Each structure stands twice: as structure tokens, then as C-alpha cells.
Amino acid sequence: MILPAFSQSRRPVLKENVPLDSIRLSDPCILADAETATYYMTGTGGWLWKSKDLRQWTGPYRVAETDPESWMGPRPMIWAAELHQYHDRYYYFATFTNRDVKIDTVRGNEIERRASHVLVSDTPDGPYLPMEDPTYLPPEMPTLDGTFWVDEDGLPYMVYCYEWLQNWNGTIEKIQLKPDLSGTIGTGQVLFRASDSPWSRERDDAGNIIPNKVTDGPWLFHTQTSKLGMLWTSWVFSDYVQGVAYSESGTLDGPWVQEPEPITPPNYGHGMLFRTFDGKLLMSVHSHKEINGRYVRIPHLFEMDDSGDKLVLGKPY
């Protein structure tokens, strides 16, 4: 295995022909870029991997360039990066954390300055650079895992998580983006809360079973019947698991109805969907396992079926 998930300051040697299961990477997100006939994989850590066949990968490349004078500081941590092509440019949606700045203390936990933000490039392999707005979301809120969606109104949105560490019941929210994605418009709107899920559970200090507090990794999709769905991740006690919700209105405003059971096996989560160049729908997730006191996260691909109103998990790819 190479690249521990949080060794974000290292400059590793470029490697070629690396099998997918030999890469340690949280929150893998894959852009299938038709113009270059290349798959680009990002995730936590700020690195980029490239592949022509999804089997062998070259990387890692550093592609995100932030402003050291910004709120992020000179060496921000980068989490859950995603690449999205919109019109004629490429956008890097990611969570940036400045560990030197504390914004709150809740129940004894210091909360670091963390927020979803967007960078831009003219090419899929970067470099990705800051745009107009210095912040996209309120600085006093810890937000994470921002993703991109153009809703039925034709407007672009960021969908993101407001972290449970502060509100103690994580939410998934939307906020409108400027037409060129260089900033946000208005304020965020709650789509649903962690406690709305029938499958994500934990135990309180007295041992009672209660709803889990975590919302993680939203990803929007349409089925082939035009049903709007959202992948998102939480916990079933000690297992990290992928769930799905569907919008009854067909828009981000919902209401969002949660599936009763997770869609992945235990300890697979933070999923996203993409189509291969030959049209196969795949879900990218990472496995989540503790080894010798450290979490190990490895990218995996599953075949998916979206031909009906609901997404169906297929075999490993």
C-alpha cells in the first residue's frame, strides 16, 4: 500500500501502473473525461491519479493551489475533493481545513476552521486555482463534502454537509452558486438531517439505540427514469455505510425519502457515480477498516443498475 490517507504534506514519487487496490485513498471520486479519454481520480489528500482503463493508475499529482493569505492558511488539509466539468471549465470541489484556527468548542471538542470551497482550471489535470469569493459558506460553520448539481430550475448549486460536531445532528444542505461557480448566492437551506435516516444508528452513553449524528459525502444522480436520488454516508454503530435518499418532487427541495436499508455492504462508503467510456455505470467508494489502531481506506468500484426508479448495487468491478 502507498499513500497513507492523511500524509497531505508529503511529496511522494510519481508511480506508474499502480493497481487500484494498492492505492490508499479516502473519498475517491472519478471524472471520466471524454476529450482526453482519461479517468481522473481525486479524494482526500489533495492528490490526483490518472488512468486509461480504471485498472492501472499513474500518480499521485498535486493539483490544488490555494492562497496562503486566505482563511485556509499556508498548508490546508484537503478532504473529499471532486472534479466536475461545467460548460468549458473544470471545477475542484473540496473541503479545506486550517487546523491553526479554532471556530468553536462544543461538548469539549475544539472545532477547526473547515469549509467546502471551489477551485477552477481549464484542464482536468489542473492546476486548480482560487476564484472570486474568499469564502463560500459562513466561516463560523464547519462544513464539508461539497458536491455539484444543476437543479430543475437550471441553476447551479453546491450540496454540502453541516458537520455534526457543532450542531449535534448533521445536515445536508444546498446553496446556490454564481453562474461561473466563483461564489455563492444567498444562504444555505437544509434538505434533511442525520436523524431522518431509518438505518443509521448509534448508542448513547446509557446504551440506548439512537439515530446517528453523522452526514457525510452527498452525491446527486438521476436514474434512467428521471428519479432524483442522493448517495450519502453515515454509520450503523461501528460500521461506515452508504445510504440513498430520493426526492419526491424531483428537485433538491425534496421532500427527501430515505431508503430503509443501506445500499452497500458494511464499511463501504462515501460513494459517487460515473459512466465508463463504454457506458457502464460504476460507483466509486472506499472501504473502511481499522488496522493496528489506524484506519485504512482503499478505493473500490461496483457495477450499478439505474434502469428503474431506484439504484441497485451490482458486482465489484
Side-chain angles (χ1 to χ4, degrees), residues 30-40 49-53 124 277:
I30 295 175
L31 171 71
D33 185 64
E35 184 173 344
T36 58
T38 301
Y39 298 101
Y40 298 89
W49 293 82
K50 303 178 186 180
S51 176
K52 293 293 186 179
D53 60 6
F277 296 128

Side-chain angles (χ1 to χ4, degrees), residues 111-215:
I111 300 173
E112 299 165 343
R113 178 75 169 92
R114 176 180 303 128
S116 299
H117 202 87
V118 186
L119 308 179
V120 67
S121 176
D122 291 325
T123 60
D125 54 357
Y128 288 86
L129 305 173
M131 289 188 282
E132 179 181 346
D133 283 12
T135 60
Y136 279 68
L137 295 163
E140 70 275 8
M141 290 173 57
T143 56
L144 69 161
D145 294 354
T147 191
F148 179 59
W149 188 249
V150 178
D151 208 12
E152 292 297 304
D153 57 10
L155 300 175
Y157 291 88
M158 178 193 289
V159 174
Y160 60 93
C161 299
Y162 175 19
E163 192 167 30
W164 68 273
L165 284 172
Q166 188 176 58
N167 62 24
W168 221 246
N169 187 9
T171 61
I172 291 182
E173 307 187 5
K174 73 166 187 177
I175 192 167
Q176 186 180 338
L177 292 166
K178 293 180 178 179
D180 63 355
L181 314 192
S182 64
T184 53
I185 298 171
T187 58
Q189 174 186 330
V190 174
L191 306 184
F192 60 84
R193 304 176 188 277
S195 58
D196 294 338
S197 167
W199 54 265
S200 59
R201 290 289 179 265
E202 62 179 317
R203 293 186 185 273
D204 63 16
D205 293 340
N208 301 308
I209 296 176
I210 60 172
N212 197 278
K213 299 180 285 292
V214 174
T215 50

Side-chain angles (χ1 to χ4, degrees), residues 149-150 152 220-229 250 275 306:
W149 188 249
V150 178
E152 292 297 304
L220 284 301
F221 65 91
H222 275 130
T223 67
Q224 293 184 39
T225 62
S226 299
K227 188 77 170 180
L228 176 62
R275 290 199 181 272
D306 67 343

Side-chain angles (χ1 to χ4, degrees), residues 64-76 96 98 117 119 128-131 134:
E65 296 187 10
T66 57
D67 179 2
E69 301 301 318
S70 72
W71 67 265
M72 300 178 190
R75 290 177 299 278
F96 298 88
N98 185 341
H117 202 87
L119 308 179
Y128 288 86
L129 305 173
M131 289 188 282

